[in-house]
Amino acid sequence: MKREKFLDEKIPMVEIFNSISGEGITSGFLTTFVRVYGCNLRCSYCDTKYSYDGEYILMTPSDILKEVNKFNCRRIIVTGGEPLEEDKLKRYIPIYLTQNGYEVRIETNGSVKLYNEEEILEFTGSKERKNLFYTLDIKCPSSNMDKFNIFEENFKRLILGDEIKFVVGNVKDLDYSMQVVEKYKEYFKGVTLNFSSVFSKVEPSQIVDYLKAKNKFFMENNLDVRVNIQLHKIIWDKDKRGV
Ligand code: SF4
């Protein structure tokens, strides 16, 4: 991907709006959301089907930047759909926004590769990832998409400030999540592990009880674990868009 080509192209986008972050370690922070169009997965519980099965508008990177600038908000979450689909122009929107002064977090579904150093170098002039963080999903069995998870290749790219999100729909998913944590724990130092329930499928208190029983393991391995409540679904109607 040549940076110049990216700057000239129109990219399918779903919506750009300002709200609060509803999930993870940024929960509650005022944030601008940049939602790209298209997703390579079809999770059983997807609550944003409109991001791959609805209408989209075409925007150039500078159109996107103009829209984002209107909100005067330092934090951006680029979400979807899937922002990092390979060989798609949308993949470079997050880096482009960091180059324009924003702190950007990418919500990625864990089935596509995170940026390699060469991609970051091409767009920023440095191999170092700055002001750019990942919220990396691990798909559990109840999503029906777990076979697409990329583990080690993505985990080795995680740094302080990144987070992992397990969306769990039942106890089998919790067991699966813990197997992943146990196997790859050496990659998760400084990375927050979020456990989130599929809305109305698992009680958060059930997740708390499950995790409390693993406290010794988390302490011995210096792992930071939190239960994630989807704030936006409490503040607003669970199906309301653009909030
Ligand atoms: S990865 Fe996200 S957007 Fe894609 S189908 Fe799954 S939940 Fe929906």
Side-chain angles (χ1 to χ4, degrees):
M1 167 61 55
K2 286 276 163 278
R3 186 174 183 277
E4 293 66 34
K5 176 170 164 47
F6 165 79
L7 290 174
D8 287 342
E9 296 287 336
K10 292 193 170 178
I11 302 171
M13 301 291 299
V14 179
E15 56 190 358
I16 297 174
F17 61 93
N18 189 245
S19 183
I20 55 160
S21 168
E23 298 194 61
I25 52 178
T26 58
S27 182
F29 285 116
L30 289 161
T31 300
T32 298
F33 287 82
V34 173
R35 190 183 303 283
V36 300
Y37 186 79
C39 184
N40 58 317
L41 297 186
R42 295 293 180 266
C43 301
S44 60
Y45 49 71
C46 182
D47 57 2
T48 52
K49 290 193 172 72
Y50 58 88
S51 68
Y52 54 79
D53 208 9
E55 293 182 358
Y56 60 84
I57 48 170
L58 292 172
M59 298 175 86
T60 63
S62 66
D63 293 335
I64 295 167
L65 183 62
K66 263 187 225 147
E67 212 46 41
V68 161
N69 285 344
K70 285 182 190 166
F71 297 115
N72 296 308
C73 186
R74 178 170 61 88
R75 292 172 189 271
I76 294 179
I77 289 180
V78 181
T79 188
E82 170 49 51
L84 293 183
E85 273 190 275
E86 288 154 60
D87 302 322
K88 298 266 169 85
L89 291 162
K90 63 182 172 182
R91 183 170 167 90
Y92 300 100
I93 293 170
I95 308 188
Y96 171 74
L97 292 171
T98 64
Q99 291 301 285
N100 286 279
Y102 289 100
E103 181 183 309
V104 180
R105 180 168 293 274
I106 306 169
E107 291 186 333
T108 179
N109 66 26
S111 72
V112 293
K113 290 179 190 165
L114 304 184
Y115 295 126
N116 59 46
E117 287 182 343
E118 286 64 40
E119 287 174 299
I120 294 177
L121 178 66
E122 181 178 350
F123 274 77
T124 69
S126 157
K127 285 185 175 175
E128 199 185 341
R129 174 154 62 91
K130 284 189 196 146
N131 290 326
L132 187 59
F133 301 98
Y134 296 116
T135 298
L136 176 66
D137 276 13
I138 306 297
K139 296 299 179 191
C140 293
S142 75
S143 69
N144 297 331
M145 294 291 123
D146 49 307
K147 63 176 174 290
F148 298 109
N149 284 323
I150 297 175
F151 291 133
E152 208 155 7
E153 193 178 349
N154 276 345
F155 295 161
K156 70 184 182 194
R157 300 198 183 283
L158 298 176
I159 58 172
L160 184 71
D162 292 330
E163 57 182 344
I164 288 201
K165 187 171 75 175
F166 298 97
V167 178
V168 295
N170 51 39
V171 173
K172 193 176 162 203
D173 283 354
L174 277 165
D175 290 341
Y176 175 88
S177 304
M178 276 310 300
Q179 283 163 15
V180 173
V181 174
E182 282 167 17
K183 184 164 182 193
Y184 297 102
K185 56 186 184 295
E186 73 269 24
Y187 294 108
F188 299 152
K189 311 275 186 253
V191 173
T192 304
L193 304 173
N194 292 284
F195 289 78
S196 193
S197 63
V198 178
F199 199 72
S200 78
K201 291 268 187 213
V202 190
E203 286 301 325
S205 60
Q206 202 182 340
I207 304 178
V208 175
D209 287 341
Y210 184 97
L211 294 175
K212 270 164 57 181
K214 312 279 181 197
N215 258 337
K216 187 166 184 287
F217 169 80
F218 296 138
M219 188 171 77
E220 284 173 354
N221 290 286
N222 200 17
L223 297 172
D224 240 348
V225 177
R226 65 191 294 284
V227 174
N228 187 46
I229 308 288
Q230 291 181 302
L231 211 51
H232 50 292
K233 292 191 178 176
I234 296 172
I235 300 177
W236 296 281
D237 181 273
K238 70 177 178 51
D239 297 319
K240 192 165 166 61
R241 275 181 62 175
V243 291

